[in-house]
Amino acid sequence: MSIKYTPDHEWIKLDGDIATVGITHHAQDALGDVVFVDLPEVGKTYAAKDAAAVVESVKAAADVYMPANAEVLEVNEALRADPSLANSDPLGAGWFFKIKLANPADLDALMDETSYTSFAADSH
């Protein structure tokens, strides 16, 4: 299972052609306390870079973008019920949605952890 990162501070955990998507520690740190999430509709297909979800904090609202062409398989209802999971466990229980990728190779162009860590450090 590999994890990739987008320039918009989302992480994508790939398992075959199924991927789990969430926001990174950097993103939740920049947002502050998350108070609301709007998750995508299960069964809906999105193109890469489409806004698929919204995360709102006490400071700002931000879109969560689809990392590749994909269909939404599942959303995290626990996150909808308790948006603070995006802060307390962004890479675990605070995941946003699971998708079926049209072409898993689309994620090859995204950053690995080393590249993302460097990118996030430079984007302060």
Side-chain angles (χ1 to χ4, degrees), residues 102-120:
N103 180 8
D106 289 349
L107 299 184
D108 292 349
L110 298 178
M111 291 176 269
D112 62 15
E113 187 168 7
T114 304
S115 301
Y116 176 75
T117 300
S118 174
F119 171 83

Side-chain angles (χ1 to χ4, degrees):
M1 203 177 302
S2 65
I3 298 181
K4 294 286 197 168
Y5 299 85
T6 72
D8 299 306
H9 306 288
E10 290 109 13
W11 57 265
I12 303 94
K13 191 180 298 177
L14 186 62
D15 187 7
D17 62 353
I18 307 297
T20 305
V21 180
I23 63 171
T24 63
H25 275 290
H26 179 85
Q28 69 82 22
D29 194 45
L31 282 165
D33 292 339
V34 174
V35 294
F36 175 79
V37 293
D38 185 21
L39 299 171
E41 188 182 325
V42 172
K44 188 167 179 186
T45 300
Y46 290 85
K49 299 188 176 31
D50 278 357
V54 177
V55 55
E56 291 182 18
S57 72
V58 291
K59 295 197 291 193
D63 289 326
V64 178
Y65 297 99
M66 191 59 64
N69 296 338
E71 176 189 349
V72 177
L73 296 178
E74 185 181 346
V75 297
N76 187 351
E77 293 298 345
L79 180 65
R80 194 189 313 263
D82 182 6
S84 71
L85 289 170
N87 294 117
S88 61
D89 193 9
L91 303 178
W95 61 275
F96 276 65
F97 49 87
K98 293 187 180 184
I99 54 176
K100 181 172 176 55
L101 297 162
N103 180 8
D106 289 349
L107 299 184
D108 292 349
L110 298 178
M111 291 176 269
D112 62 15
E113 187 168 7
T114 304
S115 301
Y116 176 75
T117 300
S118 174
F119 171 83
D122 291 343
S123 64
H124 280 290

